[in-house]
Amino acid sequence: MTRRLAMAAGSAALLGACSIIPRGADVPSRPIENAPLPEPTETGLPQDRDRHRIALLVPMSGENGAVGQSIANATTMAILDTNANNLRITAYDTAINPRDAARRAVADGNKLILGPLMGENVGAVLSEARRADVPLISFSNDAAIASPDVFVMGQIPEQSIRRSVEYAREAKGVRDFAVVAPDGEYGRRAEAALQTAVADFGGRVVGSESYARGNTSVVSAMDRLVARGGFGGLLIADSARLATQAAGRVKPGGAGNTLIIGTELWSGDASVTRASALRGAIFSAVSDDRYRRFVDSYEARFGAQPYRISTLGYDAVLLTLRVARDWRVGRDFPVSQLRDSGGFVGLDGPFRFGRSGVIERAFEVREIRNGQVVVVDPAPNRFDD
């Protein structure tokens, strides 16, 4: 057991009987509980006559181990906060071999997989899970991996862009848009999202430029776009640092009327408030109202700050508990109940899964104003259609 995992296991043990079990090459298969345990099965897990077995597939070691551990800690919190006694969640390390992790999860009798974290691992996990009719609720934000038995729970960049375009058209009157985006998958998705949203809300895209990620390249791309001109709204699909470099070419010192539009990548980055070129810029993200309380509770329990993505682990448990009301132990997970049109409410606000299996979230619009990030159009509290 690595020191990092040993510390996490110790923290969980102090919390009480939380029914979270670590499983992997370098962690024990014994439940992290301080209550008397029933007799183990052949797999090493306790007998479960009254609990649903849920697998959590995340990296618990390696480059993304800290992120996976943060998600695992959040699932522990969700069970403790809800006093859930009908779920047993077992964590499997996907860092080395996600397919092997899925194979062990299926062999252990889990009926639902929360994860994996990386969209590129879905194929390997699904190859084992599908044989046993075990669905996935993935933490990825890649809508392309969704299928009848793969639900995508990550925050979808396209939805953030769409929300911002809607606000720019209806509240700011912007009609003509341009985009500067990095080479690669994220940039292509961002540009396509802008094209679709602008068309749906009655505007037009009049220019686009791409670049290899870097200060010089993004500035050159921005200069080419500015030379052509003719746009009132500009989507910069990159981090706050590179967005500041690009925005400085069209709004030096914050002067000018172009509406700068960012993406969900700006959420939580305090540097946006210090960049004069980003004054008046907007971007959309899920509400942080519940997240702030989650952070305080997480720090009190684990002595560290969580990764922002760890709320997905917490909300996945809440979602599973909601479905478990009408789910008999030992039966297949009732996938159809995930498509409740009324949606669910979690730490990141209201959400629901569409027919495609891709999550739909409620986003708020934020504006950078007077050195602060201000909510100018709150996220809706529920879905009306």
Side-chain angles (χ1 to χ4, degrees):
M1 178 184 291
T2 65
R3 180 174 182 273
R4 177 168 51 195
L5 288 174
M7 291 174 61
S11 298
L14 291 172
L15 292 175
C18 61
S19 305
I20 300 287
I21 308 174
R23 297 279 278 179
D26 58 351
V27 294
S29 59
R30 155 179 84 76
I32 305 175
E33 299 185 279
N34 60 14
L37 297 178
E39 290 298 317
T41 65
E42 293 179 359
T43 66
L45 296 179
Q47 296 280 357
D48 284 310
R49 296 185 178 88
D50 301 314
R51 290 181 178 180
H52 298 287
R53 288 189 179 180
I54 312 297
L56 175 68
L57 268 65
V58 291
M60 302 288 285
S61 60
E63 182 181 2
N64 294 309
V67 180
Q69 186 63 63
S70 184
I71 293 173
N73 289 346
T75 62
T76 300
M77 284 180 58
I79 286 183
L80 293 171
D81 290 346
T82 58
N83 294 315
N85 59 6
N86 61 341
L87 301 182
R88 186 182 300 284
I89 300 180
T90 309
Y92 299 80
D93 189 359
T94 60
I96 298 175
N97 190 328
R99 182 166 187 169
D100 184 58
R103 183 181 298 115
R104 286 181 288 121
V106 170
D108 284 348
N110 292 283
K111 298 297 184 181
L112 172 67
I113 290 176
L114 306 181
L117 174 62
M118 311 299 291
E120 64 200 43
N121 292 337
V122 167
V125 171
L126 194 59
S127 65
E128 297 295 330
R130 186 167 278 167
R131 298 175 186 176
D133 293 325
V134 176
L136 278 58
I137 299 178
S138 171
F139 301 130
S140 169
N141 66 358
D142 184 359
I145 66 175
S147 68
D149 52 0
V150 178
F151 293 79
V152 177
M153 196 171 183
Q155 295 181 23
I156 309 300
E158 289 88 342
Q159 294 177 12
S160 168
I161 293 170
R162 182 177 184 84
R163 179 77 165 93
S164 294
V165 169
E166 178 185 23
Y167 180 81
R169 284 288 296 129
E170 296 181 356
K172 298 291 188 178
V174 177
R175 187 188 69 166
D176 298 329
F177 293 80
V179 54
V180 58
D183 294 334
E185 182 64 20
Y186 185 87
R188 288 191 292 271
R189 288 174 61 183
E191 182 174 355
L194 181 75
Q195 294 278 2
T196 299
V198 168
D200 288 347
F201 291 111
R204 61 181 184 175
V205 176
V206 297
S208 66
E209 287 289 342
S210 61
Y211 57 91
R213 299 195 74 194
N215 293 349
T216 302
S217 184
V218 71
V219 167
S220 298
M222 196 63 246
D223 285 344
R224 293 193 298 270
L225 203 56
V226 170
R228 295 199 300 273
F231 53 86
L234 171 66
L235 171 65
I236 306 176
D238 213 320
S239 65
R241 182 180 67 83
L242 289 181
T244 299
Q245 298 289 330
R249 310 303 289 184
V250 68
K251 294 187 68 174
N257 297 320
T258 301
L259 178 65
I260 303 296
I261 302 171
T263 72
E264 84 295 341
L265 295 177
W266 293 11
S267 182
D269 191 335
S271 68
V272 297
T273 63
R274 299 190 292 269
S276 60
L278 296 183
R279 285 201 299 262
I282 65 168
F283 66 98
S284 298
V286 295
S287 173
D288 282 336
D289 289 347
R290 294 182 178 91
Y291 179 69
R292 297 186 184 98
R293 294 192 292 272
F294 167 77
V295 170
D296 291 341
S297 180
Y298 186 102
E299 289 180 330
R301 282 169 164 156
F302 299 104
Q305 282 204 342
Y307 283 81
R308 184 63 179 84
I309 196 174
S310 63
T311 56
L312 299 184
Y314 194 103
D315 285 355
V317 173
L318 297 185
L319 176 65
T320 304
L321 284 170
R322 168 83 172 271
V323 174
R325 295 174 185 172
D326 302 310
W327 177 25
R328 293 181 58 184
V329 173
R331 297 290 182 88
D332 288 343
F333 182 79
V335 170
S336 61
Q337 294 191 36
L338 290 178
R339 296 187 176 91
D340 187 328
S341 61
F344 310 89
V345 177
L347 292 176
D348 291 327
F351 66 92
R352 64 182 177 184
F353 292 102
R355 295 178 63 87
S356 66
V358 176
I359 201 166
E360 178 185 352
R361 292 189 177 277
F363 284 80
E364 65 185 19
V365 182
R366 304 174 187 175
E367 180 179 316
I368 301 166
R369 181 189 299 171
N370 299 325
Q372 294 181 315
V373 176
V374 180
V375 176
V376 292
D377 195 7
N381 294 320
R382 57 187 175 86
F383 297 102
D384 294 325
D385 56 347

